[in-house]
Amino acid sequence: MQIVPLSSALGAEIRGVDLAQPLDDETFRRIEQAWFEHLILLIRDQRLDEEQQARFCARFGTLVASYNAKRETAAGQHPAVMYVSNIRENGKLIGSLPDGEMHFHSDQCHTEQPAMATMLYAMEIPSQGGDTLFANMYQAYETLAPELKSKLEGLKAENVYDYNAESLMRRGSKIREGVQHCAHPVFRTHPVTRRKALYVNRLMTDHIVGLPAGESETILLRLFDHAEQPGMVYTHRWRVGDLILWDNRCTQHARTDFDASERRKLRRITVRGERPF
């Protein structure tokens, strides 16, 4: 097995493993340690069914049942699987998050126990676009201006995501009744590495709790721009058979736009996390 860095910002490619086969404990230990060190892992040229992907993902923790109502409901589908796809069958989407650009975010940060890990496996990929960008939130925290660190230390930010009105979401607007939202620390501590990471994002963070609205917005925009600097980002251009695992506790990710007439299908599984601290 080889571990090859993907960029100076974050990420490593694992070579020489076949995830369709069970991994021995020593191999998994090396993979997990590489994940903690590099934040995201890429394993190319895999041929995985749902059960094989879920088996590997479950080595990292408890799988989260897919809750999005738009996901596939085929008989026998693994309960943790969600398809990210723009493909339609009989006029209906077979998956979720079908097309278009998505801003930087951390998965499920609007819930009390956000996903600690997300695993995405590429099945059909457009000829251009649909890339995934990953940003290093350890680096974002560590390079933040000292006065801003001091001001925000101990504060929380409210995170919200409205699945039924994504296009209408605006920071600072009234949160619709029944829409899930949760406040988490602006800076969170990784429970394994004990490093601090910036934990606000452009897609889901609504406001910083306890600050006037105008000041909150000004600071959030500054934080977003800081965290999304090219020097902190790795851009992944997908190939069929790619599998990527990322740590939501210390990374953010975004998606570039692509031609909606081209098919895109990826299989997603998430791992339950702890309440951020």
Coordinates of all heavy atoms in Angstrom, one line a residue, residues 3 8 10 20 89 98 120 126 129 132 144 149 160 174 185 203 224 248 251 271:
I3 N 0.9 5.7 0.1 CA 0.2 6.9 0.5 C 0.8 8.0 -0.2 O 2.0 8.3 0.1 CB 0.1 7.1 2.0 CG1 -0.5 5.9 2.7 CG2 -0.6 8.4 2.4 CD1 -0.3 5.9 4.2
S8 N -0.6 20.4 -1.6 CA 0.1 21.0 -0.4 C -0.9 21.3 0.6 O -0.6 21.5 1.8 CB 0.9 22.2 -0.8 OG 0.1 23.2 -1.4
L10 N -4.1 19.7 1.4 CA -4.7 18.5 2.1 C -4.9 17.4 1.1 O -4.8 17.6 -0.1 CB -6.1 18.9 2.7 CG -7.3 19.1 1.9 CD1 -8.6 19.1 2.7 CD2 -7.3 20.3 1.0
A20 N -13.1 -3.9 -2.4 CA -14.2 -5.0 -2.6 C -13.9 -6.2 -1.7 O -14.7 -7.0 -1.4 CB -14.2 -5.4 -4.0
E89 N -35.6 8.6 -13.9 CA -36.2 7.4 -14.4 C -37.8 7.5 -14.2 O -38.2 7.9 -13.1 CB -35.7 6.2 -13.6 CG -34.2 5.9 -13.9 CD -33.7 4.7 -13.2 OE1 -34.5 4.1 -12.4 OE2 -32.5 4.3 -13.4
P98 N -29.2 17.2 -7.3 CA -29.0 16.7 -8.7 C -28.0 17.5 -9.5 O -27.2 16.9 -10.2 CB -30.4 16.8 -9.3 CG -31.1 17.8 -8.4 CD -30.6 17.6 -7.1
L120 N -17.9 9.2 -0.7 CA -18.6 9.4 -2.0 C -17.8 8.5 -3.1 O -16.6 8.6 -3.2 CB -18.5 10.8 -2.4 CG -19.6 11.4 -3.4 CD1 -21.0 11.1 -2.9 CD2 -19.4 12.9 -3.6
P126 N -19.9 13.5 -15.6 CA -19.9 14.3 -16.8 C -18.6 14.5 -17.4 O -17.6 14.4 -16.7 CB -20.6 15.6 -16.3 CG -20.3 15.7 -14.9 CD -20.3 14.3 -14.4
G129 N -16.8 19.6 -15.5 CA -17.5 20.1 -14.3 C -17.9 19.1 -13.3 O -17.5 17.9 -13.5
T132 N -15.3 18.4 -7.2 CA -15.5 18.7 -5.8 C -14.3 19.4 -5.2 O -13.1 18.9 -5.4 CB -15.8 17.4 -5.0 OG1 -16.9 16.8 -5.5 CG2 -16.0 17.7 -3.5
L144 N -5.7 32.4 10.7 CA -6.7 33.5 11.0 C -6.0 34.6 11.8 O -5.1 34.4 12.7 CB -7.9 33.0 11.8 CG -9.2 33.7 11.7 CD1 -9.7 33.9 10.3 CD2 -10.3 33.0 12.6
K149 N -9.4 35.7 16.1 CA -9.5 34.4 16.9 C -9.9 34.8 18.3 O -10.8 34.1 18.9 CB -8.1 33.8 17.0 CG -7.7 32.9 15.8 CD -6.4 32.2 16.2 CE -5.8 31.5 15.0 NZ -4.5 30.9 15.4
V160 N -28.1 26.2 9.5 CA -29.5 25.8 9.1 C -29.4 25.4 7.7 O -28.7 25.9 6.9 CB -30.5 27.0 9.3 CG1 -30.1 28.2 8.5 CG2 -31.9 26.6 8.9
K174 N -35.7 34.8 8.6 CA -36.4 34.0 9.5 C -36.4 32.5 9.1 O -36.7 32.2 8.0 CB -37.9 34.5 9.7 CG -38.6 33.7 10.8 CD -40.0 34.3 10.9 CE -40.8 33.5 12.0 NZ -42.2 34.0 12.2
P185 N -19.9 25.6 18.0 CA -18.7 26.5 18.1 C -18.2 27.0 16.8 O -18.1 26.2 15.8 CB -17.7 25.6 18.8 CG -18.5 24.6 19.5 CD -19.6 24.3 18.6
L203 N -22.6 28.0 3.0 CA -23.9 27.4 2.6 C -24.9 27.4 3.8 O -26.1 27.7 3.6 CB -23.7 26.0 2.0 CG -25.0 25.3 1.6 CD1 -25.6 26.0 0.4 CD2 -24.8 23.8 1.2
F224 N -15.5 33.3 5.5 CA -15.8 32.5 4.3 C -14.7 32.7 3.3 O -14.1 31.8 2.7 CB -17.1 32.8 3.7 CG -18.3 32.6 4.6 CD1 -19.5 33.2 4.4 CD2 -18.2 31.7 5.7 CE1 -20.6 33.0 5.2 CE2 -19.3 31.5 6.5 CZ -20.5 32.1 6.3
N248 N -15.5 15.7 8.0 CA -16.3 16.9 8.1 C -15.9 17.8 9.3 O -16.3 18.9 9.4 CB -17.8 16.5 8.2 CG -18.3 16.1 6.9 OD1 -18.4 16.8 6.0 ND2 -18.7 14.8 6.8
T251 N -12.7 19.8 7.5 CA -12.8 20.2 6.1 C -14.1 20.8 5.7 O -15.1 20.5 6.4 CB -12.5 19.0 5.1 OG1 -13.6 18.1 5.2 CG2 -11.2 18.3 5.5
V271 N -21.0 8.9 8.2 CA -20.7 8.2 9.5 C -21.1 9.2 10.6 O -20.7 10.4 10.5 CB -19.2 7.9 9.6 CG1 -18.9 7.2 11.0 CG2 -18.8 7.0 8.5

